[in-house]
Amino acid sequence: MMQFTESLPPSLHQQVSPIFSSLMLNKNDNQIQRARPWPGFPTSKNLGTIGDANCMEQLLVHCANAIESNDPTLAQQILWVLNNIAPPDGDSNQRLTCGFLRALIVRAAKIGTCKLLTANLNHSMETHKFSIIELAGFVDLTPWHRFGFTAANGAILEAVEGYSIVHIVDFSLTHCMQIPTLIDAISTRLEGPPLVKLTVAGATEDLPPMLDLSYEELGAKLVNFARSRNVMMEFRVIPSSSSDGFSNVIEQLRVQNLIRPENGEALVINCHMMLHYIPEETTVLSPRFPLDQSSNSSISSFRSMFLKAIRNLDPTIVVLVDEDADFTSNNLVCRLRSAFNYLWIPYDTVDTFLPRGSKQRQWYEADICWKIENVIAHEGLQRLERLEPKNQWVQRMRNANFRSSGFSEDSVSEVKNMLDEHAAGWGLKRDEEDVVLTWKGHNVVFATAWVPL
């Protein structure tokens, strides 16, 4: 964390000390004025109760404004206050704010603001590389990933019923952790299990959670597991990058699709929290991206191009699961507000299932801090975390000529049973034909299922 002296520099005492005094006397004032930027340091009237989440959000916003306007004096004042009210081992709101504090300091260092503040900061964020066993246990801790696994597997099993070959293309952030449960379920099919082909998009970017073994080693373990369930599996990994819409995977699928047997092979596209790493801005068509050149693709984003290319493969089902938030704004303050008002959820939930000081908790929160830093400190191609809310993905799927196939009551019941295994506070809601995971009533993750029109 940032290196500070015990007291403020003399030049700052005059402005900051009265603010602390008035804040401490203002415990019952929760009213916050959110809209206008402050010309100088924020006052207690603007902030409300010190330590309150709204207070911390406002301080972060105005610190971001100070950094963006290259005002190191104001930025230093606010950073000092934040450092004193948001320790890294505090409550969930304090730890959340500490993550944003670090990210703002990294951004300041990158653009040359507040160099004195950043000179002694070690801002590298250590993310843990999981073993298979560790990662399997890690994703089972909360429904954050299990929700999508359960909903998707239910929809996939129903869609591939009767097929003798099932080709699953896995665009997944969690390194195939969904697949063993799917294999278990498919092995008990009444007509006998199909041949399963699993194609994995081996992303070239290092995204948490990270694995400590290669995809080839992972594939060998999955094939052995399938064999233990009397399921024949073929595994293939295609190195690819989200930065160009996984064009390598799309091209190889397109070639393979030309010889796909009629009615004998189901093609499943499973997208689990990976598509938001595809750039969403309008781009010029990549010559390597296999799309219909007659389309007006020169004004499409890679996301739209990816979905249209998937549609051209005529898949049996596409399942899209992702986090329900919007981190796409080009305005830093808008992104900060959106991220702050979404990422409190993992910090809040972690207190229900991991003890303070545990290694798993450190790993969990380091991954969240990586996300915060990427959203706040980086721009351009370096900013990979570009979440879009469910309604925008729904519109993208419709524009690509998919229609929603929804989830059966059996699938929804499976999700409900899974949620019963976790702490109170998690919930499930239906949103038209989709399902949404909630925490204390707030949307967390959505799951959608689609078939070609």
Side-chain angles (χ1 to χ4, degrees), residues 1-5 60 79-90 94-106 116-125 347 369 373:
M1 184 42 62
M2 200 185 321
Q3 301 298 311
F4 284 96
T5 57
L60 290 168
L79 287 169
W80 187 89
V81 174
L82 284 167
N83 188 70
N84 280 274
I85 66 174
D89 58 351
Q94 291 171 322
R95 301 196 311 275
L96 169 69
T97 303
C98 182
F100 278 86
L101 170 62
R102 293 185 65 92
L104 285 172
I105 294 171
V106 174
L116 290 177
L117 284 177
T118 61
N120 296 321
L121 176 69
N122 178 14
H123 55 69
S124 60
M125 183 59 61
Y347 278 98
C369 284
E373 181 175 315

Side-chain angles (χ1 to χ4, degrees), residues 135 139 145 149 172-178 209 215 272 274:
L135 184 57
V139 300
H145 293 292
F149 293 173
S172 172
L173 186 66
T174 54
H175 312 290
C176 302
M177 288 296 103
Q178 176 181 338
Y215 268 102
H272 183 87
M274 182 61 82

Side-chain angles (χ1 to χ4, degrees), residues 71-328:
D71 187 341
T73 301
L74 179 57
Q76 180 169 333
Q77 293 168 356
I78 304 175
L79 287 169
W80 187 89
V81 174
L82 284 167
N83 188 70
N84 280 274
I85 66 174
D89 58 351
D91 63 26
S92 59
N93 284 328
Q94 291 171 322
R95 301 196 311 275
L96 169 69
T97 303
C98 182
F100 278 86
L101 170 62
R102 293 185 65 92
L104 285 172
I105 294 171
V106 174
R107 185 178 181 92
K110 288 171 66 72
I111 64 176
T113 305
C114 314
K115 285 185 178 180
L116 290 177
L117 284 177
T118 61
N120 296 321
L121 176 69
N122 178 14
H123 55 69
S124 60
M125 183 59 61
E126 290 292 330
T127 50
H128 179 68
K129 286 197 172 185
F130 291 88
S131 70
I132 285 289
I133 300 300
E134 286 175 339
L135 184 57
F138 189 73
V139 300
D140 282 346
L141 288 171
T142 75
W144 203 280
H145 293 292
R146 290 190 72 197
F147 167 81
F149 293 173
T150 307
N153 283 350
I156 291 169
L157 287 169
E158 292 174 7
V160 303
E161 188 175 343
Y163 285 90
S164 59
I165 304 173
V166 176
H167 184 186
I168 303 166
V169 183
D170 197 35
F171 296 96
S172 172
L173 186 66
T174 54
H175 312 290
C176 302
M177 288 296 103
Q178 176 181 338
I179 301 302
T181 307
L182 181 59
I183 294 298
D184 258 338
I186 214 168
S187 69
T188 62
R189 206 169 68 166
L190 290 177
E191 66 269 35
L195 167 65
V196 175
K197 300 178 179 179
L198 179 59
T199 298
V200 174
T204 55
E205 298 88 358
D206 285 330
L207 305 171
M210 292 186 284
L211 207 54
D212 71 349
L213 76 168
S214 69
Y215 268 102
E216 287 73 20
E217 293 171 301
L218 174 63
K221 292 180 181 294
L222 287 169
V223 169
N224 287 335
F225 175 81
R227 187 180 297 119
S228 74
R229 300 299 191 269
N230 296 315
V231 176
M232 295 301 297
M233 174 186 279
E234 298 174 2
F235 180 88
R236 177 175 63 156
V237 58
I238 302 174
S240 56
S241 172
S242 58
S243 64
D244 63 0
F246 300 107
S247 61
N248 287 344
V249 176
I250 295 296
E251 174 60 20
Q252 293 200 35
L253 290 176
R254 185 186 68 81
V255 172
Q256 182 176 332
N257 206 47
L258 297 175
I259 55 173
R260 182 171 147 203
E262 286 289 330
N263 302 319
E265 180 175 319
L267 177 61
V268 175
I269 309 296
N270 185 61
C271 306
H272 183 87
M273 300 192 186
M274 182 61 82
L275 298 196
H276 71 260
Y277 291 106
I278 300 175
E280 96 287 356
E281 298 100 337
T282 300
T283 70
V284 177
L285 177 66
S286 165
R288 294 191 297 129
F289 206 92
L291 289 176
D292 179 1
Q293 299 295 318
S294 64
S295 67
N296 193 19
S297 50
S298 61
I299 58 172
S300 294
S301 74
F302 274 125
R303 293 185 184 185
S304 298
M305 291 156 59
F306 172 85
L307 295 177
K308 288 176 182 177
I310 290 295
R311 173 61 186 85
N312 289 340
L313 299 174
D314 195 27
T316 308
I317 188 171
V318 177
V319 184
L320 172 57
V321 176
D322 217 318
E323 297 166 316
D324 198 7
D326 189 350
F327 295 173
T328 59

Side-chain angles (χ1 to χ4, degrees), residues 14-30:
Q14 186 176 1
Q15 284 184 289
V16 178
S17 296
I19 291 168
F20 259 114
S21 300
S22 61
L23 282 170
M24 295 303 291
L25 294 172
N26 199 26
K27 294 284 187 184
N28 297 318
D29 181 10
N30 291 317

